[in-house]
Amino acid sequence: MTQSDGLFVNVRNVILHSMHPKFIDVEASALDGFPIQIAYGSGEGEITSHLIRPFDSWLREEGRWSPHAFKLHGLSIDFLLEAGSDPHEVAFRIEDDLWGQTAYSDATDYDHTWINILFSKVSAESGTHLVMPCIREMNEILPASCSPRERQIVRDRIRLQAEKEGLRIHHADVDVLVHIRTLREIQKL
């Protein structure tokens, strides 16, 4: 590929990104805990979701598992140990999938912190520096003509609809779907 071909690919990615922004969501063991599920996707394709098998060291740390958080997401430690993916594989996959892209979140500070916890641990163990995805506030891409109250009403309606479809809110993949649907609905206003 020539340098001009690379420029074309980058411009094309910017155009596609602006038409179909990526969303990201992270579920964690506690507000001050560790990531247990990360999902991301856009309106143009499928949602990628990773259950994360916790590191043993995370499980030994006092207070890193919250019964309150468990009530929200319903993902048990036993389930994560059995069904979760190797955290190294998850971190490298996220870096590959989101390299050079911006992903939008409704809880930017938390999601960034939890991904940083994963990337820092994997980087330290593997000796490889992982590059964090750029995570921005979802409200940045919602039309300014839509008030915060209107946004919340739409988001609540979309969440309720997802629950009626049998989807569990506070699963990262479902929350990403809610973000995508919320953007679509707000754009129609």
Side-chain angles (χ1 to χ4, degrees):
M1 176 186 322
T2 67
Q3 192 162 18
S4 62
D5 292 336
L7 179 61
F8 172 74
V9 170
N10 288 338
V11 170
R12 181 177 171 271
N13 287 342
V14 168
I15 292 168
L16 286 176
H17 173 72
S18 64
M19 293 174 11
H20 300 285
K22 282 221 187 294
F23 293 96
I24 191 164
D25 192 79
V26 183
E27 297 303 323
S29 62
L31 286 179
D32 60 349
F34 51 85
I36 59 173
Q37 184 185 30
I38 300 174
Y40 45 90
S42 68
E44 70 179 350
E46 67 183 53
I47 295 170
T48 301
S49 180
H50 304 282
L51 288 172
I52 302 167
R53 186 174 58 245
F55 286 102
D56 290 339
S57 61
W58 288 349
L59 296 175
R60 289 191 299 267
E61 294 176 26
E62 190 74 27
R64 297 291 297 261
W65 186 265
S66 163
H68 176 70
F70 172 71
K71 285 180 189 175
L72 291 175
H73 55 65
L75 301 170
S76 70
I77 293 173
D78 289 339
F79 177 72
L80 293 168
L81 290 172
E82 181 180 317
S85 297
D86 177 271
H88 295 88
E89 292 173 14
V90 172
F92 287 115
R93 172 82 189 273
I94 291 168
E95 182 189 45
D96 286 345
D97 288 352
L98 298 179
W99 181 267
Q101 297 182 49
T102 299
Y104 295 91
S105 165
D106 67 343
T108 306
D109 291 341
Y110 284 116
D111 289 348
H112 185 273
T113 297
W114 292 323
I115 293 173
N116 188 50
I117 288 169
L118 173 65
F119 276 38
S120 295
K121 178 75 169 170
V122 170
S123 291
E125 287 194 359
S126 68
T128 304
H129 175 73
L130 291 166
V131 177
M132 289 275 298
C134 177
I135 302 174
R136 304 288 303 253
E137 177 58 44
M138 180 176 157
N139 286 332
E140 291 179 19
I141 59 169
L142 298 177
S145 60
C146 186
S147 73
R149 186 175 186 294
E150 290 172 313
R151 293 174 188 173
Q152 190 60 50
I153 289 169
V154 170
R155 190 175 291 144
D156 290 347
R157 188 175 71 242
I158 299 294
R159 283 183 177 142
L160 184 60
Q161 178 185 349
E163 287 175 335
K164 286 180 180 177
E165 293 172 19
L167 303 174
R168 184 163 184 161
I169 302 299
H170 294 297
H171 275 203
D173 51 346
V174 174
D175 290 351
V176 167
L177 179 63
V178 167
H179 298 336
I180 292 166
R181 289 178 176 177
T182 298
L183 176 63
R184 284 182 186 157
E185 285 300 311
I186 289 175
Q187 287 174 331
K188 292 177 187 176
L189 296 177

